[in-house]
Amino acid sequence: MARLQDDGEAVVERFKPTSGRFSGWAAVLLSAAVVVAMVAYLDEGFPAPAGGVALLLGALAWASMLRPALWVTEEHLVMRNLADTVHIRLAAIEEMAVRQVLAVRVGDQRFVSTVLGRTWRKALKSRMAGSPGTPPDTSPDTAAGARPDTRPDTPPGGGLREGMPYVDWAEHRLAELVDAARDRAGVAAGSEEQRALPDAVRREPALLPLAVIAVAALLLLVSFFI
């Protein structure tokens, strides 16, 4: 795919959300409608706190449901969440699995993204599909340590096969990119060399959504005195 520039690195793959977008937009639009109604009919007795609550709920819905994003650059997995953006070095990822959310382990740290996820029932089936010797958070089809060519139901070269669930393809593609990064770095999953990799994780606070939520909360407090 065509590469885009992001934070100085070429973006290799962007992953679309598997859930939450419809409910997020519905919550934001409903909140906006209540705020507009409050502004329009405040002089006619519309309760200002109702508009303040709607504004805060809309800000939270945007930050938690619509803002999260997930992409992979040449060297990093980037998780944009509500409160921060986490850059994880691909070669440093020890384990990775998609259940109800995407979970990634680097050393003793665990990171999650809500962008990719399965329903509770599908996540349970995926967990039960693991072999008896597979750790709880990984399975032969979901562990990042498995080689791409050992996955029986995934197409070669990262392509999306017709009829293949998007979340299954995305999980395979992520593991493929992690494996390739490990190969370039010359490390194996769980090895001391992998744990010694520098700059494994970098966090950036998400100032914009935190500021929006703080302002909305402040306006809610003010609305009780209007």
Side-chain angles (χ1 to χ4, degrees), residues 6 11 34 38 41 66 86 185-186 197 201 222:
D6 188 276
V11 176
V34 173
M38 184 271 293
Y41 299 105
L66 301 180
V86 184
L197 288 173
V201 178
V222 172

Side-chain angles (χ1 to χ4, degrees), residues 15-53:
F15 297 94
K16 65 182 182 181
T18 54
S19 64
R21 283 308 195 254
F22 177 80
S23 55
W25 279 113
V28 168
L29 293 175
L30 180 60
S31 298
V34 173
V35 171
V36 170
M38 184 271 293
V39 173
Y41 299 105
L42 184 61
D43 293 339
E44 299 180 21
F46 194 100
V53 170

Side-chain angles (χ1 to χ4, degrees), residues 25-168:
W25 279 113
V28 168
L29 293 175
L30 180 60
S31 298
V34 173
V35 171
V36 170
M38 184 271 293
V39 173
Y41 299 105
L42 184 61
D43 293 339
E44 299 180 21
F46 194 100
V53 170
L55 181 62
L56 179 58
L57 292 178
L60 290 171
W62 166 73
S64 62
M65 298 180 181
L66 301 180
R67 184 180 186 275
L70 183 73
W71 66 92
V72 174
T73 67
E74 293 177 322
E75 297 296 336
H76 293 88
L77 171 65
V78 184
M79 296 179 173
R80 189 173 70 190
N81 300 316
L82 186 156
D84 59 13
T85 298
V86 184
H87 300 252
I88 304 171
R89 187 170 177 179
L90 288 169
I93 294 175
E94 296 183 33
E95 292 180 359
M96 178 179 64
V98 179
R99 303 302 187 198
Q100 290 176 282
V101 296
L102 167 65
V104 173
R105 185 170 69 84
V106 179
D108 296 328
Q109 301 180 83
R110 184 174 181 269
F111 305 93
V112 298
S113 172
T114 58
V115 173
L116 294 179
R118 293 183 169 92
T119 63
W120 179 85
R121 179 174 296 182
K122 289 183 178 180
L124 181 61
K125 288 176 63 178
S126 176
R127 183 183 296 271
M128 293 176 63
S131 63
T134 304
D137 285 333
T138 58
S139 73
D141 293 333
T142 58
R147 304 300 303 178
D149 54 11
T150 65
R151 301 164 194 265
D153 296 323
T154 51
L160 179 58
R161 189 184 63 185
E162 183 178 356
M164 183 181 188
Y166 177 78
V167 67
D168 292 346

